[in-house]
Each structure stands twice: as C-alpha cells, then as structure tokens.
Amino acid sequence: MPELPEVETIRRDLAARLTGLKILEVTRSASKMLRKLPAAALRSACEGRIFERAARHGKLLQLPLSGGAVLEIHLGMSGQLLLEPWEAPDEPHTHVEFRLERGLALRFRDPRRFGRWALVENGKRKGQVFEHAGVDPLDPAFDEACFFAIMRGARGELKRVLLDQSRIAGLGNIYVCEALHIAELSPYRGASSLSGSEAGRLFEAVNSVLTLALSHRGTTLLNYRDASGEQGGFQLKLAVYGREGESCPRCGSKVKRQVQAGRSTFYCPKCQGRGRKM
DNA sequence: AACTATACCTGCAAGC
DNA sequence: TGCTTGCAGGTATAGT
C-alpha cells in the first residue's frame, strides 16, 4: 500500500524520467476512476502539455503541466503509476493511459480502484477533493518541536493520531506500526500523554523508518511497484507489520494483532507494553 | 462534537 | 476441486 516512502520513490522516478516529456494523446481515461473529472476536461488540459516536475505532499502526487494545470494523483491501496514503452503488454486494470514522446506511455493501474485523480486549473479542482493538510514528514518544518506540538494538541490514541492525514500527511498503517515498535511505545497510549523524551523517541523513529524504507525503495506486500514496475525491498525489514504470531526481533515475544480504529495494529506486547490494552 | 461504522473495490487465502 | 466467505486498507461519508 503506497505510503510516503512508496509515493516518494515514484515521485523521484517520475522527476528523473517524466520531466520534459510532452503528452501526445490521452488514450484511456476510465470515468470510474476519474469521478467528477470529465474525460474531455482531462484530455483538453493534458494533450500537448509538458510534464514540468514531480512533487508530492503526503501520499498525494502532484504533476504540474506546462500552461499551469496540475494533475493530482492518489494511488489509494493498489494504484501503480508506470512509465513504460508504448508496446509494453496491456495489463488488466489499466484505467488511464497517456501516450508520450519517445515511445513512452504513462499508465495508471489500480486493481482495487481506490485511487483518485484530480485536476487543478486556475485554482479550481475538478475531481476528488483530497484532505492532506497535515505537515509532510520530509518537510524541514517537521522538526521535533513541531511533532511534540502535534502530539500535545491531539486527543486520542497514538495509532490513530499518527494515521490522521490532517495532522501528519503520509504515514499509513505499515509505517505507523513500525515506528511505534522502534520507539517502544504502545499504539494505545494517549498522544497527549507523551513526555518530551518519549515524543523525541517517536519523532526519531518516524524519521528513521521513513528514511530506511526510502533507501529500500518502499515496501511491496502485494501491489506496490515503482514507476519502472520494480518491487520495493523494505518488506524484508518489517519488525511487526504482517507478522502476527512471529517473534519480535528485539525481545522474542510473539507479535500481536488487534483491530484498532477499524484496522489491524501489529505490535509487541512486551516491548510496547506500557499504556493500556495488552 | 467526536467517535464508529460503512461504502468503495478486487484479489487472494482460508474454510468447507 | 470448486465454491463461498472473509479480509486487506485510505479515505469520504453516513450514522450514533
């Protein structure tokens, strides 16, 4: 599932390989994926335009085009944004396809169809409205003081506060579970109950897990691929996520899975014991 | 107001 | 074997 490290990996790929390329033709644009973004609007905004750069905020990719329009793409659960030769086999679930210069095509595949596209033109957004107002962890503004202030001001359990995209944009279930394990904090601890040193530990854990995952080009559990179709490597380093019943790499206790706020939380009850609910 | 449940989707895996 | 069932999860929205 694409979270910050996966989306950032794709962004870097696209920044290197897509920038400067002209869109010749929009050859596919499934209305199911585009929602309130009419296919005709996408076509007229994109055809003949050039990809100027690749940006990202949280899990949202932003692709500014010449002329001022910006494409916004959220990969959802299983979205892939692939830059491949025009002749590459037409895999199932390819919902959007741009034919580009140099024999390349930008293709959007998404089996589960949770991905969303939007187009921002003249300050108006057509398509899905994304709520990614939180600070991006790779932004220099995201420092320890900023993190501590967010935790202090948040009601609720650590797990759900860290997942809240309106506070911090980019963390998903995998990296939140991993960061809490690194910091040896219970997912059930109240965010505002953290001491300064605990918040500092968690801040470092969030940064280190994101940096390490990024260096492995993300985590591939099932669907994630980079813009070249390659898998990530960080799944081999996961300590708790998806490892229910296996032993904690730090203390050897059995990793536990519990449903919290509607989704699976993986944690080590021994290392991360303090703070309710075992 | 703030928390919870559900809808959206498909592929996969487990169970019968 | 082949079917059914349940589960995975990011986010918006409906419900409590």
Side-chain angles (χ1 to χ4, degrees), chain A residues 62-175:
Chain A
Q62 300 154 321
L63 303 176
L65 305 175
S66 59
V70 180
L71 268 177
E72 293 183 332
I73 300 168
H74 192 295
L75 298 171
M77 289 295 302
S78 60
Q80 303 173 5
L81 205 53
L82 299 150
L83 193 57
E84 53 192 18
W86 179 246
E87 313 76 40
D90 187 17
E91 302 289 336
H93 308 297
T94 302
H95 308 296
V96 184
E97 182 174 69
F98 287 6
R99 188 175 192 172
L100 310 169
E101 294 177 311
R102 298 185 206 166
L104 290 170
L106 184 68
R107 289 173 173 164
F108 177 67
R109 292 195 194 115
D110 187 4
R112 291 188 203 178
R113 300 206 271 187
F114 279 15
R116 296 288 178 265
W117 283 49
L119 179 70
V120 182
E121 246 180 331
N122 304 320
K124 289 170 77 177
R125 178 182 282 107
K126 285 177 189 156
Q128 182 77 23
V129 175
F130 300 98
E131 210 51 61
H132 274 236
V135 62
D136 187 283
L138 299 191
D139 190 314
F142 183 72
D143 57 15
E144 194 173 330
C146 167
F147 182 77
F148 190 49
I150 291 170
M151 293 300 120
R152 265 294 147 98
R155 285 172 306 276
E157 297 165 336
L158 276 179
K159 176 78 187 300
R160 66 184 313 147
V161 170
L162 291 170
L163 281 174
D164 183 351
Q165 304 296 302
S166 71
R167 297 181 193 275
I168 301 171
L171 298 176
N173 205 16
I174 296 173
Y175 297 114

Side-chain angles (χ1 to χ4, degrees), chain A residues 26 38 48 54 165 211 231 250 263 277:
Chain A
V26 178
Q165 304 296 302
T211 303
Q231 302 193 11
R250 186 165 45 216
R263 52 181 64 86
K277 222 178 248 187

